[in-house]
Amino acid sequence: MANSSTFFPILMLLFSCNVYTNACYPSIISFGDSLADTGNLKEMASKSNVQPPHFLFPPYGETFFSKPTGRCSNGRLIIDFVAESLGLPLIPPSLGSETNVHVTELGEGVNYAVAGATALDSSFHEARGVGIPTNASLGVQLGWFKDSLSSICSAVSGN
């Protein structure tokens, strides 16, 4: 049971979050791993000859989307709830075929997160004998962001 000294800071945090959600945010740019991946690993798997991950099949996605979306969840992820609370559409994966059109025309955000991604590059892990199934480290994701920055910025400035 939480005592009052624990409850008050949590209550203040909730009230302060409300202040920020009322601000005007035009987009979300997301980096990360399976906690935020909205379909990038699905796209990576479809372009390679590896066995598709288990979360690309039911029951994943049945609760909210009625089909698997590439999220490591039966429904939405935290990033989906954040977007919804800011009044933004769900953030598309950066590797999706329709994403480049979405980013260029709408500028409402893009998600670079990939399930299984690591903070350190794969070379760090390989030097220690650890195999990484996907090379989508934070450095790789930041490279994708840098490559698409001109299309994102032109879309945002056009609004």
Side-chain angles (χ1 to χ4, degrees), residues 35-90:
L35 297 174
D37 184 358
T38 57
N40 283 316
L41 186 59
K42 175 183 176 182
E43 293 298 324
M44 291 174 76
S46 71
K47 296 174 184 170
S48 66
N49 292 330
V50 298
Q51 182 177 1
H54 65 280
F55 57 84
L56 298 183
F57 303 100
Y60 287 88
E62 287 182 353
T63 300
F64 186 78
F65 299 99
S66 301
K67 64 180 181 176
T69 61
R71 289 166 170 79
C72 294
S73 171
N74 185 27
R76 294 176 286 178
L77 301 172
I78 294 296
I79 195 72
D80 297 322
F81 290 104
V82 170
E84 182 181 283
S85 72
L86 295 173
L88 297 171
L90 298 180

Side-chain angles (χ1 to χ4, degrees), residues 27-38 40 77-79 82 91-94 109-119 136-149 152:
S27 64
I28 295 175
I29 308 295
S30 176
F31 304 93
D33 58 8
S34 60
L35 297 174
D37 184 358
T38 57
N40 283 316
L77 301 172
I78 294 296
I79 195 72
V82 170
I91 304 164
S94 63
V110 65
N111 191 340
Y112 297 96
V114 177
T118 59
S137 67
L138 181 57
V140 170
Q141 293 175 34
L142 290 171
W144 294 338
F145 171 67
K146 184 178 177 183
D147 291 343
S148 63
L149 193 56
I152 294 171

Side-chain angles (χ1 to χ4, degrees), residues 1 3 5 16-17 23 38-39 59 68 93-94 100 105 122 128 137 151 159:
M1 187 83 171
N3 59 30
S5 63
S16 67
C17 289
T38 57
S94 63
N100 293 333
E105 292 179 359
S122 60
R128 287 154 181 78
S137 67
S151 65
N159 291 337

